[in-house]
Amino acid sequence: MTVSHWPAALHLFAYDATQSALNPGGAQATRIAHLWWIFFWVLLVIFALVLLFLLSALLRRRVVNEGLEPVIDPPKEEPGLTAVVSTAVVLTVLVLFALLVRDFFTGNKIYSLSDAGAVGIKLTGHQWWWEVQYQDPEPSRIVTTANEIHIPIGRVVKFELASTDVIHSFWVPNLHGKRDLVPGHPTTVLLKADRAGEYRGQCAEFCGFQHAHMRLLIVAEKPERFEAWLDAQRQDSPAPATESARLGHDVFVSSQCVMCHTIAGTGARATLGPDLSHIGSRITLATGSFPNTRGYLAGWIANPQSLKPGVLMPPNELAPDALNALVDYLESLK
Ligand code: CUA
């Protein structure tokens, strides 16, 4: 992920190609982008015509009868005007109908993927993070991770969407349209990436305080790279290799961290917060909010509220040495 150095105010004008419906990374998004451009050009022409007519009406010479009381004439029949208005109404209806048909056609095409041989991913929305679970008929091969979703290019991915609290919405503009995650109403969406790359997503339904920071990252990659990544995620977390990491491991398993998080291969098995088994291999922290660097990780553990007010994670008052060791340990979990 590219971390932008634009001043905050300029973000309004900075174009991010990794989160844009007009930079499609798959066939579905290509169709949506195509439809968008058709609407754009048709509406631009209509807008120009309307302005043209308005301008010509404004510039018409008016009869000024100074000093006289206005005279109200009986309405005149203007056959020319009636014809113009009728033609405009018919044209408007025809244009709207043509756009409706094109829209229907696009909708039909983007939902025509087949889920045969698809990668199955269960995506659960939480306030304010995404739980990601790669399905497998064999339970021991199921992979749980969070906020970063690797997918193979050229293969359909079937997302089963669910929410445990409020309504969220799954939206990765470079790949597909939006789909809501409604508590108690699981649904599915199929998508396929054709071009490798990192695509940013965003929760697209207001879901509370940190809605704006409920991001996600899709890493679309070659099938062999994807399989290698998935295999690595299936493994237990690596055992601590250094003295400091060993100390950090002990800090983790003996503190309140284990009340919420899982690290596979340790005693930590809670599922209230994101699975941390391979957190060292992730690109971002706090649901796509910050780059996964040592500083942000330490700051996040010590005082998450200062970075993401309202987050459910409590602060952790650790001695500096313990915090340092904990960061060493978490960074080693590749
Ligand atoms: Cu989740 Cu907005």
Side-chain angles (χ1 to χ4, degrees), residues 128 167-168 203-207 211 214:
W128 293 277
I167 302 177
H168 303 275
C203 175
E205 177 70 37
F206 180 71
C207 55
H211 155 71
M214 188 164 166

Side-chain angles (χ1 to χ4, degrees), residues 125-128 162-168 181-183 205-208:
H126 298 270
Q127 278 175 318
W128 293 277
S163 167
T164 55
D165 37 43
V166 298
I167 302 177
H168 303 275
L181 289 71
V182 182
E205 177 70 37
F206 180 71
C207 55

Side-chain angles (χ1 to χ4, degrees), residues 54 74 165 195 236 289 318:
L54 183 66
D165 37 43
R195 192 156 55 84
D236 278 350
S289 303
L318 296 169

Side-chain angles (χ1 to χ4, degrees), residues 14-330:
Y15 171 71
D16 182 355
T18 65
Q19 189 173 355
S20 167
L22 301 182
N23 178 31
Q28 292 159 304
T30 303
R31 288 183 187 280
I32 294 173
H34 193 186
L35 182 68
W36 191 90
W37 282 112
I38 290 175
F39 269 71
F40 176 79
W41 289 115
V42 170
L43 299 189
L44 188 70
V45 169
I46 293 173
F47 180 65
L49 285 177
V50 169
L51 279 193
L52 217 63
F53 276 101
L54 183 66
L55 215 62
S56 75
L58 288 174
L59 293 179
R60 245 198 203 160
R61 256 200 305 151
R62 275 181 290 176
V63 185
V64 184
N65 48 353
E66 275 167 61
L68 293 175
E69 286 298 309
V71 179
I72 301 173
D73 292 327
K76 274 182 291 179
E77 273 291 315
E78 286 189 74
L81 199 61
T82 313
V84 168
V85 172
S86 310
T87 315
V89 169
V90 171
L91 276 180
T92 307
V93 171
L94 283 180
V95 168
L96 285 176
F97 192 73
L99 290 178
L100 177 75
V101 170
R102 195 63 184 69
D103 179 270
F104 181 77
F105 178 76
T106 303
N108 231 352
K109 282 283 177 196
I110 59 177
Y111 291 110
S112 63
L113 287 180
S114 153
D115 64 357
V119 179
I121 298 177
K122 183 163 188 231
L123 186 65
T124 308
H126 298 270
Q127 278 175 318
W128 293 277
W129 62 283
W130 305 90
E131 182 183 341
V132 184
Q133 199 177 63
Y134 289 78
Q135 305 297 309
D136 200 290
E138 211 176 296
S140 66
R141 289 168 57 84
I142 289 176
V143 164
T144 304
T145 177
N147 306 325
E148 288 179 17
I149 309 173
H150 287 240
I151 62 171
I153 52 173
R155 193 167 154 200
V156 174
V157 182
K158 180 181 183 180
F159 283 95
E160 291 172 53
L161 306 176
S163 167
T164 55
D165 37 43
V166 298
I167 302 177
H168 303 275
S169 187
F170 172 58
W171 188 31
V172 187
N174 298 61
L175 295 177
H176 203 346
K178 297 171 188 171
R179 182 60 69 91
D180 281 1
L181 289 71
V182 182
H185 292 271
T187 178
T188 60
V189 64
L190 302 177
L191 63 78
K192 184 158 81 77
D194 297 319
R195 192 156 55 84
E198 285 173 13
Y199 303 113
R200 280 179 48 190
Q202 168 72 49
C203 175
E205 177 70 37
F206 180 71
C207 55
F209 203 175
Q210 287 294 337
H211 155 71
H213 293 144
M214 188 164 166
R215 299 175 184 152
L216 68 99
L217 189 65
I218 292 219
V219 182
E221 54 199 4
K222 293 212 173 94
E224 34 318 342
R225 285 196 64 169
F226 166 72
E227 290 300 339
W229 174 85
L230 196 60
D231 262 343
Q233 298 287 312
R234 273 194 196 111
Q235 314 306 317
D236 278 350
S237 62
T242 64
E243 189 48 46
S244 178
R246 257 188 292 279
L247 178 63
H249 165 271
D250 296 347
V251 170
F252 189 93
V253 296
S254 60
S255 71
Q256 59 180 357
C257 308
V258 292
M259 308 297 283
C260 299
H261 296 286
T262 290
I263 293 184
T266 71
R269 285 256 158 243
T271 55
L272 199 62
D275 187 300
L276 303 179
S277 304
H278 300 278
I279 182 152
S281 66
R282 293 199 196 133
I283 300 166
T284 62
L285 286 179
T287 322
S289 303
F290 312 104
N292 188 1
T293 62
R294 196 175 172 84
Y296 275 116
L297 184 54
W300 179 252
I301 296 167
N303 191 358
Q305 298 296 326
S306 68
L307 291 168
K308 213 168 158 178
V311 66
L312 299 183
M313 179 160 154
N316 292 281
E317 284 180 18
L318 296 169
D321 285 350
L323 181 60
N324 228 339
L326 181 55
V327 170
D328 278 340
Y329 173 57
L330 292 175

